[in-house]
Amino acid sequence: MANVVVVGSQWGDEGKGKVVDWLSERADVVVRFQGGHNAGHTLVVDGVTYKLSLLPSGVVREGKLSIIGNGVVLDPWAFLEEVETVKAQGVEVGPENVRIADNAPLILPLHRNLDRAREAALGNAKIGTTGRGIGPAYEDKVARRAIRVGDLADTGALIDKVDALLFHHNALLRGMDMPEVDKDGLMAELNDVAPRILPFADAVWRTLDEARRNGKRILYEGAQGTMLDIDHGTYPFVTSSNAVAGQAAVGSGQGPGAIDYVLGIAKAYTTRVGGGPFPTELDDAVGKILGERGREFGTVTGRPRRCGWFDAVLVRQAVKINGIDGIALTKPDVLDGMSELKVCTGYRLEGEVIDYLPASTVSQSRVEPIYETMEGWTESTRGARSWADLPATAVKYIRRIEELIGAPVALLSTSPEREDTILVHDPFAD
C-alpha cells in the first residue's frame, strides 16, 4: 500500500483541504506533520462546510485515525475549541480517533502576545503572521526550552520547565516595556488544560510504524506551501516550519522510506497572503476578478489574498525541492470566460533571463516575469468530471503547465465539491 504526502507547491491556500479530504476516503490514517493553527483547510462534505486548523482532514471521515505529529506546534486551547466546533457539527472526536504526539511543543498565551507585539513593532515591514504564536513557539523548540505535550503529565518537572521558559521570555518583555508573565497564572492554565489534552497524547512514531507494518494507507497532510517553507521559501516572508515533503517523515517520526508518492497542489493561477515578493501579482482589474471569482480570503484570518497569473517557475522549483510525482491542479473554473491567459515561464533579473527564484531577498523583489500568452475559453469547466467535459483550450492550458513545471497533472479539481474531480492517476496505487 502506498503512503502519500500532500504539499502545497505555491504560497499555500492551493485547495489542499478538498484534495486531502478526497484522498482521505482511501486512507486509513491521516497525519498533520508541521505548522500550527495558522493553517486553515476548508472541506465541503455532503453540503456541509468544515473549517479545520489543527485537526487533520481525516477527522470528518468515520473510521479514520487522525494524528497530529511532533512537527506541529500545538495550542491546546485552540485544539479543544476546534474539537468542540466539529463535534457540534456531528463529528465524533476523541482519543480513539485523534492522537497528538507527546513530543509536540505547545503554543502558550505568552507566544501569542509576543507574536503580535513583534508584528506591531515592525510596522510596514511586518512579515504578515497570523499572530497566533507559531513563530515564537518554534523558536522555543529550537532553543530547547519548549513545554511539550508530555510535560503536562508531571507538575513537578513542569514547574522547572516554566521557570526556564520565563527566564527568557520575561527578559524579552522587560526589554519591550511589556508586562511580565505571571508564573502562577501560567501554571494554573497549564494544570487546568492538562487533563483535557493528555488523553490524546501518544507516541505517534510507534503508532505510525505499526500502521505501516499492518499495511495501512497513510496520508501525510501538509500545511502552508513550499514558498512559505522556512528554508526554501521567500525568506523572511515565510512560516516558521518546513512545509516541504521531506518534513512529513521528520515531523511524524518516520524514516524517508515511509513516503511513496508526493502530490503537489497548485492553483491554475497564483495567490499569496501577507507581505513578501510576488512576481506575477496583478494590481489591476484582472487580479480583482481572480480574487472575487476564487473567493480568495484566508480560512483562518479572513484576509484577502493577493492574486496573479500562474507562475510556472515557482511551481517547477517546488516540484524539484519536494520530489513531486504529480500535481493536483485546482480552480481552473476561476479562469472561465477569460479571453486571454498568461503563464510566467521565466524571470528577467537585471537584464539576465533566469529559470528559478533566487534566494536573495533583494533579487526576489527585483525579478520581472516573462509571460507566455495563451488563448482562454468561454465554456464552463466548473463541475467537470472527465477530460471530455473540458474545453479544448482548457486542456491545452493544462498540458502546457505540465510541460513547464516538469510534472504531470494527476488530479484536476473543478469545484469545491469532492465529486467534481478528474482523476488521472491515483497516488495510492503506486
Side-chain angles (χ1 to χ4, degrees):
M1 297 291 185
N3 297 323
V4 177
V5 179
V6 174
V7 292
S9 56
Q10 293 161 315
W11 276 292
D13 308 311
E14 301 96 348
K16 291 184 292 297
K18 178 221 169 148
V19 174
V20 169
D21 172 61
W22 191 86
L23 289 169
S24 69
E25 191 171 45
R26 293 168 168 79
D28 301 297
V29 184
V30 182
V31 185
R32 271 287 309 274
F33 57 85
Q34 49 83 213
H37 62 307
N38 56 339
H41 289 171
T42 300
L43 314 180
V44 181
V45 183
D46 297 329
V48 179
T49 299
Y50 302 93
K51 294 191 175 183
L52 307 178
S53 295
L54 269 172
L55 289 169
S57 298
V59 76
V60 301
R61 295 284 165 195
E62 188 175 351
K64 312 296 182 184
L65 177 61
S66 294
I67 287 179
I68 297 175
N70 57 275
V72 174
V73 283
L74 183 103
D75 184 322
W77 299 276
F79 169 78
L80 293 170
E81 182 178 348
E82 189 172 326
V83 166
E84 292 306 313
T85 298
V86 296
K87 278 185 174 180
Q89 293 183 281
V91 177
E92 293 294 328
V93 182
E96 65 283 350
N97 69 332
V98 176
R99 309 279 178 82
I100 302 172
D102 53 9
N103 55 340
L106 296 179
I107 298 174
L108 306 177
L110 57 85
H111 293 126
R112 296 194 295 270
N113 295 338
L114 181 60
D115 201 357
R116 292 165 186 164
R118 283 175 170 172
E119 279 288 273
L122 287 171
N124 293 333
K126 64 183 180 181
I127 302 298
T129 76
T130 59
R132 283 164 167 75
I134 279 77
Y138 274 116
E139 288 178 39
D140 283 341
K141 172 185 176 177
V142 174
R144 301 183 293 274
R145 56 176 172 259
I147 308 297
R148 306 201 295 182
V149 171
D151 295 331
L152 297 175
D154 189 328
T155 303
L158 184 59
I159 292 174
D160 293 337
K161 289 179 179 291
V162 166
D163 281 336
L165 184 67
L166 295 188
F167 178 79
H168 171 79
H169 276 271
N170 281 338
L172 281 179
L173 294 171
R174 285 193 296 273
M176 299 173 72
D177 289 325
M178 293 179 64
E180 295 184 25
V181 177
D182 176 61
K183 174 186 172 181
D184 292 338
L186 178 56
M187 282 299 304
E189 288 182 289
L190 292 173
N191 286 329
D192 175 69
V193 81
R196 292 182 284 162
I197 289 292
L198 286 172
F200 294 93
D202 184 30
V204 301
W205 61 269
R206 185 174 58 182
T207 300
L208 286 169
D209 182 66
E210 291 174 357
R212 288 179 58 212
R213 291 178 183 276
N214 291 328
K216 303 292 186 182
R217 287 177 169 176
I218 302 172
L219 181 62
Y220 297 88
E221 174 186 7
Q224 287 95 26
T226 301
M227 291 303 147
L228 290 176
D229 182 272
I230 187 69
D231 288 307
H232 302 287
T234 48
Y235 189 91
F237 299 94
V238 292
T239 193
S240 297
S241 63
N242 287 112
V244 293
Q247 177 65 15
V250 178
S252 61
Q254 302 297 287
I259 301 170
D260 299 300
Y261 190 97
V262 179
L263 180 69
I265 316 294
K267 279 177 183 166
Y269 51 103
T270 311
T271 64
R272 83 169 295 175
V273 171
F278 186 170
T280 65
E281 183 172 13
L282 297 171
D283 292 316
D284 57 13
V286 176
K288 186 176 180 181
I289 288 171
L290 292 175
E292 290 173 350
R293 287 185 181 177
R295 298 179 181 179
E296 297 297 350
F297 298 92
T299 300
V300 171
T301 64
R303 290 183 295 182
R305 297 171 185 143
R306 301 154 64 190
C307 299
W309 294 120
F310 186 86
D311 192 333
V313 180
L314 285 186
V315 178
R316 180 170 62 241
Q317 196 160 321
V319 166
K320 296 179 184 299
I321 290 169
N322 289 284
I324 288 173
D325 296 294
I327 287 284
L329 192 67
T330 67
K331 292 192 169 184
D333 55 297
V334 173
L335 304 179
D336 290 353
M338 302 183 81
S339 60
E340 184 178 274
L341 303 173
K342 292 184 179 181
V343 176
C344 176
T345 59
Y347 299 138
R348 186 170 286 106
L349 178 61
E350 298 176 355
E352 180 184 354
V353 175
I354 59 174
D355 62 356
Y356 67 98
L357 185 68
S360 163
T361 304
V362 174
S363 296
Q364 287 177 0
S365 65
R366 291 178 179 173
V367 296
E368 299 175 5
I370 298 171
Y371 287 119
E372 177 178 310
T373 301
M374 299 186 66
E375 181 184 358
W377 54 88
T378 56
E379 306 94 324
S380 174
T381 62
R382 188 175 179 85
R385 299 184 181 182
S386 73
W387 288 108
D389 296 334
L390 296 173
T393 45
V395 174
K396 185 177 180 181
Y397 178 78
I398 294 165
R399 294 304 185 207
R400 181 56 178 151
I401 283 176
E402 290 180 319
E403 292 174 359
L404 290 170
I405 66 175
V409 171
L411 184 152
L412 185 69
S413 170
T414 58
S415 94
E417 295 293 335
R418 68 191 308 275
E419 292 81 9
D420 294 338
T421 304
I422 300 173
L423 179 65
V424 181
H425 176 80
D426 184 352
F428 281 120
D430 282 33

